[in-house]
Amino acid sequence: MAEYINHEHDVLVIGAGGAGLRAAVEASAAGVKVAVITKSLLGKAHTVMAEGGIAAALSNVDDRDSWRVHFADTMRGGQYLNSWRMAELHAKEAPQCVHELESWGALFDRTPDGRILQRNFGGHRYPRLAHVGDRTGLEMIRTLQDHGIHLGLDVFMEYTVVTLLKDGDRVVGAFGYDRERGRFHLFRAKAVVLATGGIGRAYKITSNSWEYTGDGLALAYEAGAGLQDMEFVQFHPTGMIWPPSVCGLLVTEGVRGDGGVLRNKEGRRFMFDSIPPLYAGQTADNEEEGWRYTQGDKNARRPPELLTRDHVARCIRTEVREGRGSPHGGVFLDIAWIKDRIPNAPEHIKKKLPSMYHQFMQLAGIDITKEPMEVGPTTHYMMGGVRVDAESQMSDVPGLFAAGECAAGLHGANRLGGNSLSDLLVFGKRAGDYAARFAKEHSQGKVNPDDLAVAEMRTLKPFENRGPAPYIIQYALQETMQDLVGIVRTEEEMLQALSTIQEYKKQAESVGVPGHREYNSGWHTALDLQNLIVVSEMVTRAALERKESRGAQFRDDYPTKDDAYAGFNIVLSKGASGEVQLRREPIPPMTAELKQIIQEMK
Ligand SMILES: Cc1cc2nc3c(=O)[nH]c(=O)nc-3n(C[C@H](O)[C@H](O)[C@H](O)COP(=O)(O)OP(=O)(O)OC[C@H]3O[C@@H](n4cnc5c(N)ncnc54)[C@H](O)[C@@H]3O)c2cc1C
């Protein structure tokens, strides 16, 4: 048996993105001993990539905004499958969380009278995103990490958790390895918070970093927690599509919020052709009105480029399929055109969108102040995840909490841009608070040595196997998910995907890696692959079960929304003999106050 390096804490947070750090800060402030583990370096989590901003009804730019409007927008965006309680808490608590971040040192862009500036984003009725140019995630993570270090968090960088450990029903710790030496570590804790982000690497084209292999979801599933809304994978409409080496890289919605328009190869703004009835009253029906909206005219309605992401992504796909796409299979996103409207357009664009300017200049040789960008949909965000209690963020498994992108509930069938960063703050804070309370009420649990032996054996198996390299299966899986469980889905293709995934599952058991345990990326990929397979299977099963089109799920064989599917979430969990159990979990009735808000905002 191998030796383990032992660590003992009250609260263990797995993930050092916005959700993990916010949870760790809160737990630490409650006076318990906290550890944070991250697969990469502190400050490198996916959150750092966030560009557009944090959605919070501060009402600094438009005083008609309020938590009520934010709540109604979030529910409409999620097609009413959201946990309404989470949407309510989120809308009410996000402003305070942004101010808190500011009080810890975050420097946001400012209005002329010195308040936090807010920008337009898809699906938000009023300008709502607090931002720092297009580098908001960097500011957020910098602030949280400085604050957390000051509070005395123990940080474990380049450590990967491979198994959660249980004592009876309760989670009591985690087992993992460090990337540098490949040593095994046992983390004992009274409460564990999962904050591991999303699953983007299950797809071939994605805006997500290498860390997004669905680890938290797979860990929770294996530990007995339910996974909810797995069918809802968000395809962001605007990713780079050329050159191939940067395909999938995000082009922020902020470009459209600041006046950028989508055109097909004929130069036509095709988004005016298809405005969904749910949004018709709030959407401009001419270009002039759309432009006025982006310039802050309170009497104008938003341009159709700022409709929800699921809709815009499908419209782009239609243009391409019907032969009106750009040379590399996307459409054109044009911000340069604003030079016809404002005198200092190039400087204005560079100031508002500095990262986009550099991204296109350096990676594609395109000056976005002069030429349009070529863009197309990219796998971006996972609405589904660990099923949690709205107030405490505890999963179905006692002692196991989840927050941020790896948790489900807030966004329903589709997330609005900017609602993730606020999600991390609001529910990261709640998860940290409740995990600390749980830790105070419980003692350390017992770790079963047999569980450790099994975890160790599974982790080292790729060194003994003689099968294919893990990259081969990973690549094939990504192709399968992209082609058969992508933006547009059918039963036939998904059944094909499901049976192929079963094959990959068998092959993944035998993948082999050469070399030793120090910084062996083949070994790490072999272990991550297990998680990618779990989440890919869950996405496919849930998408097969939902025989309708709603939010991010579009079924070519069931192309319309069906009321029969409006009242429940799909939840998947692991049965006693290892089988996948699927249930339809009814959404509880909404309070009268919230119902009324939705009626008023329609
Ligand atoms: C390019 C881009 C731009 C975006 N822009 C915006 C925006 O403007 N506004 C907005 O609201 N949202 C935006 N999003 C979405 C948002 O950034 C993410 O949803 C959010 O940052 C997720 O935060 P998180 O804390 O849940 O996870 P992350 O920030 O990804 O952190 C996950 C952490 O978990 C760790 N981890 C994972 N698995 C393990 C394991 N097995 N063991 C140990 N550690 C592990 C990782 O190393 C990492 O530290 C954007 C996303 C992208 C890709």
Side-chain angles (χ1 to χ4, degrees):
M1 186 186 287
E3 285 187 5
Y4 313 112
I5 301 169
N6 285 283
H7 311 270
E8 195 169 313
H9 294 85
D10 296 312
V11 173
L12 174 67
V13 179
I14 307 174
L21 287 174
R22 188 63 193 83
V25 161
E26 198 63 18
S28 189
V32 298
K33 190 177 174 206
V34 182
V36 179
I37 308 182
T38 163
K39 242 168 147 170
S40 61
L41 299 172
L42 192 58
K44 280 267 181 193
H46 200 201
T47 302
V48 84
M49 296 158 78
E51 296 163 353
I54 311 172
L58 299 163
S59 319
N60 288 350
V61 173
D62 195 318
D63 56 14
R64 292 171 298 179
D65 204 9
S66 67
W67 77 263
R68 294 157 63 89
V69 190
H70 193 180
F71 166 77
D73 287 352
T74 301
M75 292 298 294
R76 189 185 301 108
Q79 303 271 327
Y80 305 104
L81 289 188
N82 327 50
S83 150
W84 48 262
R85 179 63 179 149
M86 281 176 81
E88 179 188 12
L89 292 170
H90 169 252
K92 283 181 173 167
E93 294 175 9
Q96 183 201 335
C97 285
V98 170
H99 285 307
E100 197 170 49
L101 206 60
E102 190 181 37
S103 73
W104 295 339
L107 293 171
F108 291 99
D109 287 357
R110 296 280 152 193
T111 61
D113 62 352
R115 289 178 297 163
I116 294 174
L117 183 61
Q118 297 183 272
R119 66 157 45 115
N120 292 313
F121 238 56
H124 293 282
R125 186 177 283 208
Y126 303 120
R128 192 176 280 147
L129 267 66
H131 60 278
V132 187
D134 55 7
R135 294 175 185 152
T136 313
L138 175 62
E139 188 65 3
M140 179 163 160
I141 210 107
R142 183 193 65 74
T143 307
L144 287 173
Q145 121 192 352
D146 285 0
H147 196 68
I149 295 300
H150 183 71
L151 285 170
L153 304 175
D154 285 346
V155 180
F156 297 85
M157 288 194 263
E158 298 201 308
Y159 282 57
T160 302
V161 169
V162 290
T163 311
L164 294 175
L165 301 164
K166 288 174 77 177
D167 179 1
D169 284 345
R170 189 189 140 198
V171 163
V172 292
F175 170 85
Y177 66 88
D178 64 68
R179 297 170 77 82
E180 188 189 4
R181 303 285 300 278
R183 290 166 300 202
F184 288 144
H185 295 258
L186 166 60
F187 291 90
R188 299 182 69 207
K190 297 170 187 166
V192 174
V193 180
L194 291 171
T196 53
I199 67 149
R201 287 282 156 175
Y203 287 81
K204 188 173 145 195
I205 301 175
T206 178
S207 63
N208 290 186
S209 79
W210 63 271
E211 290 164 86
Y212 264 23
T213 48
D215 297 8
L217 281 72
L219 290 170
Y221 174 79
E222 296 296 342
L227 300 183
Q228 179 180 308
D229 295 337
M230 291 299 285
E231 66 273 38
F232 298 119
V233 179
Q234 181 169 80
F235 299 92
H236 192 292
T238 57
M240 287 180 83
I241 56 168
W242 194 258
S245 57
V246 295
C247 186
L249 208 64
L250 194 78
V251 180
T252 176
E253 204 161 308
V255 176
R256 284 170 282 142
D258 287 328
V261 298
L262 290 166
R263 297 186 202 279
N264 62 19
K265 74 170 185 194
E266 293 151 8
R268 213 161 55 78
R269 280 181 71 179
F270 56 90
M271 287 304 303
F272 279 103
D273 301 346
S274 153
I275 298 171
L278 200 59
Y279 285 93
Q282 301 177 7
T283 309
D285 53 16
N286 64 80
E287 296 192 10
E288 188 53 37
E289 184 183 4
W291 166 250
R292 283 195 282 111
Y293 176 91
T294 63
Q295 301 311 296
D297 182 342
K298 291 185 177 172
N299 297 317
R301 293 170 299 174
R302 67 184 154 219
E305 277 86 359
L306 289 177
L307 283 162
T308 52
R309 291 174 174 176
D310 52 335
H311 179 74
V312 181
R314 277 195 296 276
C315 289
I316 292 175
R317 189 177 176 276
T318 304
E319 291 305 299
V320 176
R321 265 168 56 134
E322 295 180 359
R324 296 184 294 274
S326 63
H328 300 105
V331 293
F332 295 106
L333 172 61
D334 188 6
I335 182 89
W337 81 278
I338 66 171
K339 64 181 179 301
D340 300 341
R341 299 286 180 146
I342 51 177
N344 58 345
E347 286 67 37
H348 178 80
I349 294 167
K350 282 187 213 168
K351 181 159 177 265
K352 286 287 213 177
L353 302 160
S355 298
M356 287 302 106
Y357 175 76
H358 288 293
Q359 185 171 310
F360 274 88
M361 199 56 139
Q362 282 165 12
L363 301 177
I366 298 237
D367 180 348
I368 67 168
T369 68
K370 297 196 177 108
E371 300 165 74
M373 302 156 244
E374 253 190 289
V375 295
T378 179
T379 313
H380 183 58
Y381 185 86
M382 183 54 176
M383 272 72 72
V386 182
R387 178 175 168 79
V388 289
D389 171 65
E391 314 287 327
S392 67
Q393 298 288 287
M394 192 157 88
S395 70
D396 305 337
V397 178
L400 181 63
F401 298 75
E405 191 168 341
C406 76
L410 171 62
H411 310 290
N414 180 46
R415 173 180 73 94
L416 300 186
N419 268 1
S420 171
L421 294 190
S422 40
D423 172 3
L424 311 183
L425 293 175
V426 170
F427 294 106
K429 178 175 176 165
R430 281 183 166 268
D433 175 11
Y434 282 87
R437 292 189 207 192
F438 189 94
K440 285 177 184 171
E441 287 160 7
H442 293 80
S443 52
Q444 293 286 1
K446 280 202 205 72
V447 172
N448 182 346
D450 293 347
D451 293 346
L452 286 174
V454 171
E456 179 201 321
M457 202 181 65
R458 276 193 58 220
T459 309
L460 291 176
K461 196 161 171 275
F463 287 113
E464 279 142 34
N465 288 340
R466 293 289 166 265
Y471 301 105
I472 295 171
I473 318 291
Q474 186 197 45
Y475 185 77
L477 176 71
Q478 289 166 338
E479 291 262 345
T480 300
M481 292 301 287
Q482 188 77 33
D483 294 345
L484 304 178
V485 201
I487 299 184
V488 175
R489 300 164 174 179
T490 65
E491 177 144 318
E492 196 188 338
E493 289 185 345
M494 287 193 287
L495 286 174
Q496 196 187 327
L498 199 56
S499 88
T500 314
I501 291 168
Q502 302 308 324
E503 281 304 309
Y504 296 149
K505 205 189 276 184
K506 281 189 216 137
Q507 292 169 12
E509 286 297 319
S510 69
V511 290
V513 295
H516 48 69
R517 285 162 65 172
E518 295 180 8
Y519 268 123
N520 186 333
S521 57
W523 181 37
H524 306 155
T525 302
L527 299 173
D528 291 347
L529 181 60
Q530 310 280 350
N531 302 325
L532 282 176
I533 288 174
V534 171
V535 293
S536 299
E537 178 177 350
M538 300 306 144
V539 169
T540 310
R541 286 189 186 276
L544 274 163
E545 175 73 6
R546 186 168 287 283
K547 294 183 172 46
E548 64 156 355
S549 293
R550 181 185 296 267
Q553 149 113 331
F554 187 83
R555 296 271 309 242
D556 225 5
D557 42 0
Y558 299 96
T560 53
K561 218 161 30 183
D562 182 347
D563 280 350
Y565 286 83
F568 62 86
N569 301 109
I570 294 169
V571 179
L572 298 134
S573 53
K574 192 169 179 176
S577 28
E579 79 285 7
V580 181
Q581 291 183 338
L582 184 150
R583 68 178 194 270
R584 294 177 170 194
E585 188 71 39
I587 297 172
M590 202 183 282
T591 61
E593 185 202 8
L594 297 181
K595 254 191 209 156
Q596 196 187 336
I597 293 173
I598 285 178
Q599 280 309 322
E600 283 169 14
M601 307 282 168
K602 264 197 172 148

